[in-house]
Amino acid sequence: MGSDISGKPSGATGWASNHAWTVTVVALLVSVMVVVLVWHQMHEQGREQARREFNLLNNNTVAELESRMNDYKQVLRAGAALLESRDETSRETWHRFIERLALPEHYPGFLGVGVSQIITPEALADHEAAVRAEGFPDYQIHPVGDRARYTSIIYLEPFSGRNLAAFGYDMYSDPVRRAAMDLAVSKNAAVLSNAVTLLQEPDADIQSGVLMYLPSYHPDMPLSSVSERWQALRAFVYSPFRMDDLITGTLGALDELVHFEIYDGLVLTDSTRIYRSWQGDETLQPDALQETLLLPLHEQIWTLRFYSTPAFSRAFIQPRESVTLVMGLILSLMLAAIIYTLATRRQRAEMLAEQMTRDLRDTEQALRLNQERHLLAMDSSSMGTWSWNLSTRLITWDVQLAPLFGLKSSDYFDGTPEAFMMLLHPGDRDRVRQELNSAAANRHEYDTEYRVIWPDGTLRYVASRARVMESPGGNDLMMTGTCWDVTEKRRAQVMKQEFVSTISHELRTPLTAISGAMGLLLGGALGSLPDPVQNLIRIANENSKRLLHLINDLLDFEKLDAGKLEFHFENQDARALLINALEVNESVAARHQASLVLRWHPATTVWINVDAMRFQQIMANLISNAAKYSPPEGLITISADVSGGRLIIAVADQGKGIPDAFQGRVFERFAQADSSDTRRVGGTGLGLAICRELISHMGGSIRFDSTDQGTTFYIDLPVVLRIQDSTTLDAQRP
Ligand code: ADP
């Protein structure tokens, strides 16, 4: 038993902890998956959001640059308009015009605004002489050389610092600048040049530069064709831009969220790059957001390439997502820990409960077994206990059992059911074997009596009772019971039966004779008797009849008990039986001033299989009871109906009913509600007890309903056959 109990839980613990681990790991995996999914979703959303932000920032940059360049174009337009509004413009006028615009204030990053005059080779010498005369004795158009067309930067405001280096420079001599100037005339529009190195550049920190040109013409000349425009061209109003200064001046201090590069044109190479917002050695993030935007500017295209910076990622992407991921993972771990704790705790509790239940059951069974053995051992020394193990099929018994079978406790008994059967009377063996097997198979209580033949030939009666239960360890089914000797009881019973039947017979014969003789006397066989004699004989006659009745009842009982009452079953027409009962008992009813009526309801002839005489005995008993307790002029109704294959016969009276307190004992032997009543109406208290026995022998049952308005007894019997009948008759008797 110990090994059982200690063995099972350890397996269960293993299972339990495995189970707990499985649940925990599954929960952990699921929650981590959920966290990762959520994180991924947030990451995607975050990136999408960031991309929108990035896009917005970049578009702003492009828009600001575009708008600033347009502003510069307007300044050039104003300059060109000034030139065209007068025949001659002085250096002073230009100076004041530019000063008035307050360019450094409104457009930081503006390097200057200048006028590059067109000079034909013929006019070159006069031109140089005129400028020198203005107080610039070193003035000379440079680079020096013979060219078909000269241009010279004659004004450049502010006229100071490195701008002075450009004074007198022939921009048309440089191919890049020339291309832009040609385009400006041919398009008659402001044109931005490709990248150049400006003359204003210092020796170190060289930036890329671009120039914007706008042609200015003689006021009254036609400008419809390119050649007309060249004819009319007087000068270019222009502006040089250093890229870094231009961008800083336009966008202000950069906020470090986005890096960008500007390329001159659509080809992105180191040589076409004119601007980079960050210092050369800073490397870009591998997963930086990138975007390329084109900015068409005054016949030029700038390509802007944007890159998000770590600052951008910090501001728009990482913080929220990483917090979610870390918190999610921490929560998952906590959840797993909680689930593991709960799972193991619940399983521990379940295991503990199971263990306790098992222990309790074992203890209970051991106790019950002990108690039973103990009680039986104490009860009688001619009692013994036995156990039949239904798994091993072996019987064990205690030492007190052997004497019941005429054996000594030292005698060998091999415990097989066959060996046990050999101890029984051959006539009982099959029955007992059957009873044992059926009780074992159905786990019924086993309760029987059998005859035992002792080795010396003595016949004994043994009673045995047993129950099927689990063995204390719970592994086996056991039938455990007791045996005791009932030989003496049997003998007493037989003696009593013999005594009662002898006495009854001995009494019945003379009593019948006495009763018959008195009947003759009362009937006037010896002539009329004097009234007092007649009265005494009537009393004697009634009492002898009662005595006879009692004896008959007693005899019936003894026969029923001993199983000796014989039944002659025959199929009977139930209605005919009832009509007969009515006829036979009508005088009994009349004696109590009651009348009888039969109500037959079935539309068929109903056949029942009964002993007609015993059936009539039952009916007589019920009708006589009804009559006895009926009020004067009471009606006794006998009705019959078929329901569910059974014939239900009801005998109803209008008496004051059976007292509530007595109703539970009506069918007990010698039971009568009230002795005074009995004296008045007569009876033995055996009638209903006999009725119940007889009815059950005929396969039926009896019950009753009783109120203070009357009592109805119902008997029901199985119907064996019904034959359709055209008429429904209520056989009725007054
Ligand atoms: P008895 O021979 O005394 O009538 P029964 O066994 O027939 O014995 O009846 C037992 C008792 O049940 C009766 O003594 C009576 O108290 C009660 N009893 C039986 N039938 C009726 C009835 N129809 N109305 C009232 N009481 C009844």
Side-chain angles (χ1 to χ4, degrees), residues 374-389:
H374 202 67
L375 279 175
L376 293 169
M378 281 193 333
D379 199 32
S380 155
S381 57
S382 62
M383 249 189 203
T385 61
W386 54 273
S387 281
W388 181 30
N389 186 320

PDB file of all heavy atoms in Angstrom, residues 374-389:
ATOM      1  N   HIS A 374     -14.802  -6.852  13.590  1.00  0.00           N
ATOM      2  CA  HIS A 374     -14.824  -6.750  15.026  1.00  0.00           C
ATOM      3  C   HIS A 374     -16.215  -7.045  15.556  1.00  0.00           C
ATOM      4  O   HIS A 374     -16.411  -7.873  16.432  1.00  0.00           O
ATOM      5  CB  HIS A 374     -14.423  -5.324  15.381  1.00  0.00           C
ATOM      6  CG  HIS A 374     -13.900  -5.213  16.771  1.00  0.00           C
ATOM      7  ND1 HIS A 374     -12.711  -5.791  17.158  1.00  0.00           N
ATOM      8  CD2 HIS A 374     -14.399  -4.588  17.856  1.00  0.00           C
ATOM      9  CE1 HIS A 374     -12.513  -5.534  18.424  1.00  0.00           C
ATOM     10  NE2 HIS A 374     -13.513  -4.798  18.882  1.00  0.00           N
ATOM     11  N   LEU A 375     -17.195  -6.348  14.929  1.00  0.00           N
ATOM     12  CA  LEU A 375     -18.573  -6.507  15.378  1.00  0.00           C
ATOM     13  C   LEU A 375     -19.015  -7.952  15.265  1.00  0.00           C
ATOM     14  O   LEU A 375     -19.592  -8.520  16.183  1.00  0.00           O
ATOM     15  CB  LEU A 375     -19.499  -5.659  14.508  1.00  0.00           C
ATOM     16  CG  LEU A 375     -19.565  -4.188  14.880  1.00  0.00           C
ATOM     17  CD1 LEU A 375     -20.429  -3.444  13.871  1.00  0.00           C
ATOM     18  CD2 LEU A 375     -20.171  -4.059  16.284  1.00  0.00           C
ATOM     19  N   LEU A 376     -18.692  -8.522  14.105  1.00  0.00           N
ATOM     20  CA  LEU A 376     -19.135  -9.886  13.868  1.00  0.00           C
ATOM     21  C   LEU A 376     -18.452 -10.849  14.826  1.00  0.00           C
ATOM     22  O   LEU A 376     -19.066 -11.761  15.354  1.00  0.00           O
ATOM     23  CB  LEU A 376     -18.848 -10.267  12.421  1.00  0.00           C
ATOM     24  CG  LEU A 376     -19.700  -9.484  11.425  1.00  0.00           C
ATOM     25  CD1 LEU A 376     -19.179  -9.697  10.024  1.00  0.00           C
ATOM     26  CD2 LEU A 376     -21.150  -9.899  11.549  1.00  0.00           C
ATOM     27  N   ALA A 377     -17.181 -10.589  15.082  1.00  0.00           N
ATOM     28  CA  ALA A 377     -16.441 -11.471  15.980  1.00  0.00           C
ATOM     29  C   ALA A 377     -17.050 -11.416  17.370  1.00  0.00           C
ATOM     30  O   ALA A 377     -17.180 -12.418  18.052  1.00  0.00           O
ATOM     31  CB  ALA A 377     -14.982 -11.063  16.024  1.00  0.00           C
ATOM     32  N   MET A 378     -17.474 -10.157  17.727  1.00  0.00           N
ATOM     33  CA  MET A 378     -18.024 -10.013  19.062  1.00  0.00           C
ATOM     34  C   MET A 378     -19.390 -10.649  19.153  1.00  0.00           C
ATOM     35  O   MET A 378     -19.800 -11.177  20.159  1.00  0.00           O
ATOM     36  CB  MET A 378     -18.160  -8.522  19.393  1.00  0.00           C
ATOM     37  CG  MET A 378     -16.851  -7.901  19.790  1.00  0.00           C
ATOM     38  SD  MET A 378     -17.078  -6.289  20.519  1.00  0.00           S
ATOM     39  CE  MET A 378     -18.542  -5.688  19.831  1.00  0.00           C
ATOM     40  N   ASP A 379     -20.139 -10.539  18.015  1.00  0.00           N
ATOM     41  CA  ASP A 379     -21.531 -10.925  18.001  1.00  0.00           C
ATOM     42  C   ASP A 379     -21.729 -12.391  18.379  1.00  0.00           C
ATOM     43  O   ASP A 379     -22.532 -12.726  19.211  1.00  0.00           O
ATOM     44  CB  ASP A 379     -22.046 -10.683  16.576  1.00  0.00           C
ATOM     45  CG  ASP A 379     -23.552 -10.608  16.588  1.00  0.00           C
ATOM     46  OD1 ASP A 379     -24.074 -10.141  17.605  1.00  0.00           O
ATOM     47  OD2 ASP A 379     -24.163 -11.023  15.588  1.00  0.00           O
ATOM     48  N   SER A 380     -20.995 -13.218  17.765  1.00  0.00           N
ATOM     49  CA  SER A 380     -21.218 -14.637  18.036  1.00  0.00           C
ATOM     50  C   SER A 380     -19.974 -15.429  17.676  1.00  0.00           C
ATOM     51  O   SER A 380     -19.288 -15.115  16.723  1.00  0.00           O
ATOM     52  CB  SER A 380     -22.390 -15.115  17.177  1.00  0.00           C
ATOM     53  OG  SER A 380     -22.273 -16.480  16.960  1.00  0.00           O
ATOM     54  N   SER A 381     -19.767 -16.416  18.445  1.00  0.00           N
ATOM     55  CA  SER A 381     -18.585 -17.217  18.162  1.00  0.00           C
ATOM     56  C   SER A 381     -18.854 -18.134  16.972  1.00  0.00           C
ATOM     57  O   SER A 381     -17.953 -18.640  16.350  1.00  0.00           O
ATOM     58  CB  SER A 381     -18.197 -18.039  19.376  1.00  0.00           C
ATOM     59  OG  SER A 381     -19.316 -18.824  19.720  1.00  0.00           O
ATOM     60  N   SER A 382     -20.194 -18.298  16.617  1.00  0.00           N
ATOM     61  CA  SER A 382     -20.459 -19.156  15.467  1.00  0.00           C
ATOM     62  C   SER A 382     -20.554 -18.323  14.194  1.00  0.00           C
ATOM     63  O   SER A 382     -21.321 -18.599  13.299  1.00  0.00           O
ATOM     64  CB  SER A 382     -21.747 -19.945  15.685  1.00  0.00           C
ATOM     65  OG  SER A 382     -22.818 -19.047  15.802  1.00  0.00           O
ATOM     66  N   MET A 383     -19.803 -17.275  14.194  1.00  0.00           N
ATOM     67  CA  MET A 383     -19.754 -16.407  13.025  1.00  0.00           C
ATOM     68  C   MET A 383     -18.323 -16.271  12.561  1.00  0.00           C
ATOM     69  O   MET A 383     -17.408 -16.285  13.371  1.00  0.00           O
ATOM     70  CB  MET A 383     -20.224 -15.014  13.433  1.00  0.00           C
ATOM     71  CG  MET A 383     -21.524 -14.654  12.841  1.00  0.00           C
ATOM     72  SD  MET A 383     -21.820 -12.947  13.160  1.00  0.00           S
ATOM     73  CE  MET A 383     -23.567 -12.955  13.005  1.00  0.00           C
ATOM     74  N   GLY A 384     -18.138 -16.170  11.270  1.00  0.00           N
ATOM     75  CA  GLY A 384     -16.779 -15.962  10.782  1.00  0.00           C
ATOM     76  C   GLY A 384     -16.820 -14.996   9.606  1.00  0.00           C
ATOM     77  O   GLY A 384     -17.884 -14.731   9.044  1.00  0.00           O
ATOM     78  N   THR A 385     -15.659 -14.449   9.271  1.00  0.00           N
ATOM     79  CA  THR A 385     -15.632 -13.514   8.136  1.00  0.00           C
ATOM     80  C   THR A 385     -14.786 -14.104   7.024  1.00  0.00           C
ATOM     81  O   THR A 385     -13.897 -14.911   7.260  1.00  0.00           O
ATOM     82  CB  THR A 385     -15.038 -12.159   8.542  1.00  0.00           C
ATOM     83  OG1 THR A 385     -13.707 -12.378   8.977  1.00  0.00           O
ATOM     84  CG2 THR A 385     -15.836 -11.509   9.627  1.00  0.00           C
ATOM     85  N   TRP A 386     -15.076 -13.676   5.836  1.00  0.00           N
ATOM     86  CA  TRP A 386     -14.324 -14.161   4.691  1.00  0.00           C
ATOM     87  C   TRP A 386     -14.183 -13.049   3.656  1.00  0.00           C
ATOM     88  O   TRP A 386     -14.949 -12.080   3.651  1.00  0.00           O
ATOM     89  CB  TRP A 386     -15.004 -15.371   4.055  1.00  0.00           C
ATOM     90  CG  TRP A 386     -16.455 -15.134   3.685  1.00  0.00           C
ATOM     91  CD1 TRP A 386     -17.523 -15.308   4.504  1.00  0.00           C
ATOM     92  CD2 TRP A 386     -16.958 -14.671   2.433  1.00  0.00           C
ATOM     93  NE1 TRP A 386     -18.677 -14.989   3.859  1.00  0.00           N
ATOM     94  CE2 TRP A 386     -18.367 -14.603   2.568  1.00  0.00           C
ATOM     95  CE3 TRP A 386     -16.390 -14.336   1.217  1.00  0.00           C
ATOM     96  CZ2 TRP A 386     -19.202 -14.190   1.542  1.00  0.00           C
ATOM     97  CZ3 TRP A 386     -17.227 -13.924   0.188  1.00  0.00           C
ATOM     98  CH2 TRP A 386     -18.620 -13.844   0.346  1.00  0.00           C
ATOM     99  N   SER A 387     -13.185 -13.192   2.818  1.00  0.00           N
ATOM    100  CA  SER A 387     -12.976 -12.225   1.735  1.00  0.00           C
ATOM    101  C   SER A 387     -12.668 -13.005   0.475  1.00  0.00           C
ATOM    102  O   SER A 387     -11.881 -13.950   0.503  1.00  0.00           O
ATOM    103  CB  SER A 387     -11.744 -11.359   2.020  1.00  0.00           C
ATOM    104  OG  SER A 387     -12.071 -10.376   2.917  1.00  0.00           O
ATOM    105  N   TRP A 388     -13.289 -12.569  -0.595  1.00  0.00           N
ATOM    106  CA  TRP A 388     -12.998 -13.226  -1.884  1.00  0.00           C
ATOM    107  C   TRP A 388     -12.401 -12.160  -2.791  1.00  0.00           C
ATOM    108  O   TRP A 388     -13.065 -11.179  -3.133  1.00  0.00           O
ATOM    109  CB  TRP A 388     -14.296 -13.784  -2.450  1.00  0.00           C
ATOM    110  CG  TRP A 388     -14.145 -14.490  -3.755  1.00  0.00           C
ATOM    111  CD1 TRP A 388     -13.056 -15.172  -4.188  1.00  0.00           C
ATOM    112  CD2 TRP A 388     -15.128 -14.593  -4.793  1.00  0.00           C
ATOM    113  NE1 TRP A 388     -13.274 -15.713  -5.411  1.00  0.00           N
ATOM    114  CE2 TRP A 388     -14.560 -15.379  -5.835  1.00  0.00           C
ATOM    115  CE3 TRP A 388     -16.435 -14.137  -4.946  1.00  0.00           C
ATOM    116  CZ2 TRP A 388     -15.241 -15.676  -6.995  1.00  0.00           C
ATOM    117  CZ3 TRP A 388     -17.118 -14.444  -6.107  1.00  0.00           C
ATOM    118  CH2 TRP A 388     -16.525 -15.214  -7.122  1.00  0.00           C
ATOM    119  N   ASN A 389     -11.130 -12.343  -3.112  1.00  0.00           N
ATOM    120  CA  ASN A 389     -10.454 -11.380  -3.983  1.00  0.00           C
ATOM    121  C   ASN A 389     -10.890 -11.659  -5.427  1.00  0.00           C
ATOM    122  O   ASN A 389     -10.608 -12.716  -5.975  1.00  0.00           O
ATOM    123  CB  ASN A 389      -8.938 -11.535  -3.840  1.00  0.00           C
ATOM    124  CG  ASN A 389      -8.200 -10.464  -4.613  1.00  0.00           C
ATOM    125  OD1 ASN A 389      -8.591 -10.119  -5.726  1.00  0.00           O
ATOM    126  ND2 ASN A 389      -7.132  -9.946  -4.006  1.00  0.00           N
TER     127      ASN A 389
END
